[in-house]
Amino acid sequence: MPKNLPETLKRTWEDDPWLAPYRELIRARGVRARELAARLTGGGQSLADFASGHEFFGLHRSGDGWVFREWAPNAEAMCLIGEATGWGERDGFWAEMADAEHGIWELRLPPDALAHGQLYRLRLRWPGGGGDRLPAWVRRAVQDPHTKEFNAQVWDPEPYRWKHDPPPVPAFPLIYESHVGMAQEEAKVGTYAEYAARILPRVAAGGYNTLQLMAIMEHPYYGSFGYHVSNFFAASSRFGTPEELKALIDAAHGMGLRVIIDLVHSHAVKNEVEGISRFDGTPYQYFHDGPRGEHIAWDSRCFDYAKPEVLHFLLSNCRYWLDEFRVDGFRFDGITSMLYLDHGLGVAFSEYGRYFDGNVDEDAYAYLALANRVVHEVRPDAISVAEDMSGMPGLCRSIAEGGCEFDYRLAMGLPDFWYRYAEKVRDEDWNVDEMYFELTNRRRDQRSISYVESHDQSIVGSKAFFFQLADAAIYEGMHRGAQNLPVERAIALHKLARLLTLITAGDGYLTFMGNEFGHPEWVDFPREGNGWSHEKARRRWSLRDDPDLRFGGLAEFERAMFAAAGVKAVASAEPHHAFSNPGDKVLAVRRGDALAIFNFHPDKSFTDYPIPAEPGKFRLALDSDQPEFAGQGRIAAGQEFFTQSDFAGHPNALSLYLPSCCAVVLTGGKVNQDQSSRGLALLTVPRQVFSNIR
């Protein structure tokens, strides 16, 4: 976490000469956040205590019945209507203005006035009009299958009994990005219970230690991927009940998986009845008034992060999910849009001035800093991940240093790099030095999560990385034994890209659900344009499980590379550029105890290839070309290698067989000189020779 960053990382931030002209602006951001926290808390409580609005607002059981509270400063009247009142105002429950200064309404009811499961709404009147609304703090919203309208639902079940504590914080998060609704193979909306029973075991068996759940907060349009949120305190009912979500998280904890969710505080859906847009009749209650309150590109509403009531709502939302559902942190979605007044649209962040030129929404920056402070006060072991494409300096720095206190940021430029190579660069022109530079070009004072692809690369209009490589050949060339060169190439490069991304990763690694086995085609949620089809809003696990197909080999490789590259190794050491030869397209990367050697050449294999290494014995821990990984099997398993002294111009080097489009991971080295000076290079001759892969 930011407070625990090593002194070397702190110095990197302090000594960055490019930040020198902006030190006062950076300092001012820290002062702004601290002063804002003091104003919100009054100096008499912690920020975490302030962020407990969910315990006050909304519908709750009280000692003598029910109590309901809502903030609606422009409302002139508020009535609760629903199944308990026949949906009419005449018999409705009328709230009273409990705090006119702050616009807080309150309603108290006897125990038998409402019952678990009943549907209800609010009916508000304001100057010049009125309308039905779902409470802004509602914890359960359900959609009528016939009318498609949403209503609030009284939710008062027996408290869920937790069985498992969260696992310890992993030193190196291996994140499985996942969507509950599209996780099943059947063409339908999957459920929390189905996910817990069928998908969680796959995630745990795949070697991941962190599950990232998308689309958890309620959203009226399924096809929004969960990013047009309407009810921020309600777990999406289309997947099941809140207790079923808790059971999913509990089961994940029992399997050693920590669970983070997407937190969408960058914008909100424009819907008025089921959302919070114009909740009290004004467009500016939660959002900016005028054009600044409209996100033109996303067709959504933009929060006013300067309002104390809005900050209370959003900060409480952070705490609510930690308290109520025991999530282990958040991926903060779309913060580039939050951070810049122009939402970062069409901007090339090519120089530091872009971060300090008056285009930054300083209120949003301060909010993110306080949100992370709340997260870490409530759960010191929770993690927060920033989805920022701009490279804003300071995201992972402390408030005292003018930062936002994120634990990690997504390395969002890496998928762009890999897709550019896959789409536009000939295999003959792939440059291993450029690869290494792009994959390690990051601020050393910020933790980062590396990945080849996330859901962003798979949604409609684009393709999964493997599908981008294989294209139409995937439909006929994935059977074991099939002779299909485009598929062989795609299989090989898919594995090499993922291994190189892992071995050079900053501080974590991410995979989107199904892409570990090369899920074909793209993601397209049901919509009018595709006839409301779920065909491409599902995951075809049968492809991964079919022994006659090679999809399973890709998944097995990802699992094996976690073990062979060694999470301990990548967590305990920085990547080191051990060797490269751009002409041969050979690259070697040292990371802790792991030495990964890549041959990206499309049609050249090398025998007795010298790779400089420290003296000692190495063993073959991983070979991307193994048959169980859908490979060609060109390297004998179980080999050990000894460095040779004064070999091929290197003081000490390994002599290796490197097939084309292949990577190996060796572990070891650093043994005594007597053992390493024997000059042995064991079993470097290939077991069999195959035609080169194109």
Side-chain angles (χ1 to χ4, degrees):
M1 314 312 156
K3 58 182 177 294
N4 296 325
L5 283 175
E7 288 299 321
T8 53
L9 297 190
K10 292 181 181 178
R11 287 198 300 272
T12 301
W13 170 251
E14 295 167 355
D15 296 342
D16 185 344
W18 296 100
L19 289 175
Y22 312 106
R23 290 291 167 84
E24 283 304 307
L25 290 173
I26 294 170
R27 186 191 67 82
R29 286 176 178 172
V31 171
R32 185 190 192 98
R34 292 195 297 273
E35 291 178 346
L36 178 59
R39 287 200 302 272
L40 295 177
T41 63
Q45 60 180 334
S46 70
L47 199 60
D49 289 336
F50 170 79
S52 56
H54 53 288
E55 298 174 2
F56 179 82
F57 289 107
L59 180 65
H60 301 276
R61 278 277 191 185
S62 66
D64 56 352
W66 298 90
V67 61
F68 173 81
R69 298 185 186 94
E70 192 66 72
W71 173 58
N74 189 55
E76 294 180 327
M78 180 181 294
C79 176
L80 189 151
I81 61 173
E83 291 181 325
T85 71
W87 294 100
E89 281 187 29
R90 186 174 62 85
D91 297 317
F93 303 129
W94 290 89
E96 297 181 356
M97 178 66 82
D99 186 343
E101 180 182 357
H102 297 99
I104 298 174
W105 295 77
E106 183 175 282
L107 171 65
R108 292 187 176 271
L109 297 170
D112 60 353
L114 298 171
H116 173 67
Q118 287 182 330
L119 303 180
Y120 70 99
R121 284 185 176 188
L122 299 179
R123 183 156 292 168
L124 276 68
R125 295 176 187 165
W126 50 74
D132 286 0
R133 297 289 187 264
L134 269 61
W137 298 76
V138 66
R139 297 193 180 197
R140 173 79 170 164
V142 295
Q143 187 175 30
D144 186 293
H146 304 293
T147 66
K148 304 303 180 184
E149 293 181 337
F150 277 83
N151 287 295
Q153 188 173 37
V154 178
W155 202 250
D156 187 40
E158 289 292 321
Y160 180 81
R161 295 193 175 190
W162 295 89
K163 303 177 182 66
H164 305 286
D165 292 328
V169 182
F172 191 90
L174 299 171
I175 302 174
Y176 198 74
E177 184 187 41
S178 196
H179 186 285
V180 170
M182 62 173 285
Q184 304 305 312
E185 177 137 4
E186 188 178 351
K188 64 165 194 170
V189 177
T191 67
Y192 299 126
E194 290 171 331
Y195 191 100
R198 301 173 186 171
I199 311 304
L200 275 183
R202 292 182 180 273
V203 181
Y208 307 94
N209 55 37
T210 304
L211 175 67
Q212 177 189 323
L213 292 178
M214 309 165 61
I216 293 300
M217 294 188 286
E218 191 61 87
H219 46 290
Y221 179 44
Y222 185 49
S224 76
F225 230 88
Y227 295 123
H228 276 193
V229 173
S230 52
N231 313 111
F232 288 79
F233 293 83
S236 181
S237 61
R238 60 169 53 87
F239 308 138
T241 68
E243 287 62 46
E244 288 168 335
L245 174 57
K246 291 175 183 178
L248 188 166
I249 295 170
D250 202 9
H253 287 165
M255 295 180 186
L257 293 164
R258 289 172 64 85
V259 181
I260 64 175
I261 65 171
D262 280 0
L263 196 70
V264 187
H265 286 179
S266 47
H267 63 137
V269 73
K270 293 175 73 172
N271 300 39
E272 296 178 1
V273 174
E274 56 269 274
I276 57 175
S277 182
R278 293 186 70 247
F279 181 82
D280 69 351
T282 63
Y284 49 79
Q285 181 187 0
Y286 285 96
F287 310 103
H288 287 289
D289 197 12
R292 190 176 173 188
E294 304 281 342
H295 198 303
I296 302 301
W298 293 351
D299 192 31
S300 55
R301 300 300 312 278
C302 299
F303 285 105
D304 182 350
Y305 302 103
K307 270 192 175 181
E309 296 87 353
V310 174
L311 295 174
H312 193 217
F313 181 83
L314 294 175
L315 292 174
S316 297
N317 193 235
C318 295
R319 177 162 190 172
Y320 169 75
W321 291 99
L322 296 169
D323 286 348
E324 186 70 18
F325 289 90
R326 298 195 182 183
V327 301
D328 304 300
F330 306 102
R331 188 203 73 141
F332 281 72
D333 176 72
I335 70 165
T336 305
S337 177
M338 296 173 65
L339 285 171
Y340 302 96
L341 298 176
D342 60 7
H343 307 301
L345 298 173
V347 178
F349 293 93
S350 55
E351 48 93 14
Y352 274 38
R354 292 288 189 179
Y355 308 122
F356 307 99
D357 61 359
N359 185 36
V360 173
D361 186 335
E362 299 293 351
D363 293 324
Y365 191 99
Y367 163 69
L368 289 170
L370 298 193
N372 280 299
R373 178 61 57 88
V374 166
V375 169
H376 295 121
E377 282 187 9
V378 175
R379 280 278 302 276
D381 65 327
I383 68 169
S384 61
V385 183
E387 190 210 26
D388 170 49
M389 62 177 292
S390 73
M392 168 69 78
L395 287 182
C396 297
R397 308 309 306 177
S398 69
I399 290 176
E401 298 170 300
C404 286
E405 300 204 344
F406 280 101
D407 298 305
Y408 302 92
R409 63 179 301 275
L410 292 177
M412 298 186 71
L414 299 189
D416 292 342
F417 166 75
W418 281 120
Y419 273 72
R420 176 172 65 85
Y421 261 44
E423 294 179 61
K424 300 179 180 179
V425 181
R426 299 184 312 158
D427 292 7
E428 295 87 344
D429 297 327
W430 284 33
N431 187 305
V432 293
D433 282 345
E434 183 183 24
M435 291 180 195
Y436 186 84
F437 172 79
E438 293 290 346
L439 292 171
T440 58
N441 181 27
R442 51 182 173 264
R443 293 191 63 88
R444 300 306 185 197
D445 60 328
Q446 299 188 25
R447 291 189 173 104
S448 61
I449 305 292
S450 298
Y451 56 108
V452 175
E453 55 188 330
S454 69
H455 72 275
D456 285 328
Q457 284 69 48
S458 297
I459 58 177
V460 64
S462 188
K463 304 174 181 178
F465 184 68
F466 182 72
F467 192 50
Q468 182 67 52
L469 292 168
D471 205 49
I474 199 173
Y475 298 116
E476 59 185 29
M478 288 301 289
H479 283 86
R480 290 192 179 274
Q483 300 296 315
N484 190 302
L485 290 180
V487 165
E488 299 291 351
R489 167 186 175 271
I491 287 173
L493 292 177
H494 180 268
K495 291 181 289 186
L496 266 60
R498 298 174 96 78
L499 177 59
L500 183 55
T501 300
L502 175 68
I503 204 72
T504 58
D507 306 275
Y509 176 88
L510 178 144
T511 292
F512 176 59
M513 175 179 65
N515 287 355
E516 73 277 10
F517 67 83
H519 201 283
E521 301 182 326
W522 53 88
V523 173
D524 188 9
F525 275 75
R527 55 188 173 85
E528 188 175 5
N530 64 18
W532 302 104
S533 170
H534 288 80
E535 177 61 27
K536 289 184 172 59
R538 61 191 182 112
R539 297 283 91 176
R540 300 180 62 181
W541 301 106
S542 59
L543 298 176
R544 186 252 183 272
D545 297 338
D546 191 334
D548 294 328
L549 300 177
R550 293 190 279 188
F551 291 99
L554 298 179
E556 285 302 307
F557 177 78
E558 179 136 326
R559 180 196 59 77
M561 80 177 185
F562 291 157
V567 173
K568 181 180 179 181
V570 294
S572 62
E574 285 288 308
H576 170 66
H577 184 280
F579 173 81
S580 66
N581 184 320
D584 293 341
K585 305 192 184 306
V586 172
L587 172 69
V589 181
R590 188 63 144 143
R591 188 78 179 259
D593 189 52
L595 177 63
I597 303 108
F598 301 82
N599 179 7
F600 275 93
H601 207 291
D603 54 26
K604 281 187 180 180
S605 298
F606 302 100
T607 58
D608 300 317
Y609 200 92
I611 299 294
E614 67 271 23
K617 180 177 74 172
F618 291 78
R619 70 175 185 87
L620 180 62
L622 180 69
D623 162 24
S624 71
D625 202 44
Q626 288 178 239
E628 54 264 47
F629 305 145
Q632 298 281 349
R634 292 171 289 177
I635 297 177
Q639 297 188 61
E640 292 184 345
F641 307 89
F642 287 88
T643 54
Q644 300 183 54
S645 58
D646 194 22
F647 175 62
H650 303 288
N652 290 281
L654 294 161
S655 177
L656 302 175
Y657 169 55
L658 300 178
S660 61
C661 288
C662 179
V664 295
V665 175
L666 310 181
T667 57
K670 301 180 182 178
V671 300
N672 63 66
Q673 184 63 30
D674 179 66
Q675 186 179 27
S676 64
S677 64
R678 289 179 289 176
L680 299 178
L682 305 179
L683 298 176
T684 57
V685 179
R687 180 174 56 190
Q688 48 190 327
V689 179
F690 286 77
S691 59
N692 291 322
I693 299 173
R694 289 287 296 189

